[in-house]
Amino acid sequence: TLRIFGHDPQTSLDLTRRRIGVVAHEPYLYEGLTVAENLRLFCSLYGGIRDDWDAMMRESGLAPRAGQLVRHLSRGWVQRAAVARALLPRPDLLVLDEPFTGLDAAGAAWLRGRMAHHLGRGGSIVVTTHRVDELDGLQIRVARLHNGALHAQ
């Protein structure tokens, strides 16, 4: 049985959806929209205001690419935009699948900083990664899975 914030997500999807930010292998961005259009759209879907997406554009380093279509961005810039999208609703829980994929050193540092900030404000993060060293500097617990079973914690 899965419970998220005490609720069954099958029956209480609206109560849990806005509290979770997800970065998956797929970026869940509209390739035919610009970076700014994507973040503005997702901000409006989650009840945010312009300052939220505008501030995220600046903070993430995406501002110079605001007018570029997502389909024309490198994998690293798409990844930054996907992380920014996931952070916009100020979720309580971040679920990050290989979040450092494609990021350059500056992007990785920004992501680690955002993760530290999220943890510092009481948020939770679940990360899947093949490179635990990418999480250096974060106060985290690590669980290793091997052949589908908990191997070490």
Side-chain angles (χ1 to χ4, degrees):
T1 302
L2 175 66
R3 295 268 184 239
I4 301 176
F5 308 115
H7 301 281
D8 178 351
Q10 297 274 339
T11 59
S12 303
L13 189 57
D14 288 341
L15 294 174
T16 58
R17 182 180 300 181
R18 291 175 190 242
R19 296 181 67 188
I20 301 171
V22 176
V23 175
H25 180 71
E26 290 296 321
Y28 298 115
L29 298 167
Y30 293 96
E31 291 185 347
L33 296 179
T34 66
V35 173
E37 289 168 338
N38 266 283
L39 294 190
R40 194 174 7 196
L41 171 64
F42 283 101
C43 193
S44 68
L45 291 174
Y46 287 100
I49 55 175
R50 177 186 165 89
D51 292 344
D52 291 338
W53 71 264
D54 200 35
M56 185 61 71
M57 291 285 293
R58 288 189 308 277
E59 177 201 311
S60 64
L62 288 163
R65 288 163 175 74
Q68 287 185 275
L69 294 177
V70 169
R71 74 169 54 102
H72 295 149
L73 297 176
S74 70
R75 175 66 175 135
W77 287 110
V78 169
Q79 191 72 354
R80 277 195 204 208
V83 171
R85 175 201 40 79
L87 291 169
L88 276 174
R90 296 185 183 125
D92 296 310
L93 172 63
L94 286 173
V95 179
L96 309 174
D97 181 19
E98 300 288 349
F100 294 92
T101 299
L103 293 180
D104 60 7
W110 169 72
L111 176 54
R112 270 191 296 282
R114 284 303 304 188
M115 291 170 75
H117 175 76
H118 182 79
L119 293 168
R121 70 172 186 79
S124 300
I125 305 173
V126 175
V127 180
T128 59
T129 183
H130 290 92
R131 299 200 39 214
V132 177
D133 63 303
E134 293 173 326
L135 304 173
D136 284 348
L138 296 172
Q139 299 297 316
I140 59 170
R141 288 185 294 175
V142 176
R144 294 183 192 267
L145 297 177
H146 183 70
N147 293 329
L150 186 61
H151 182 65
Q153 190 168 0

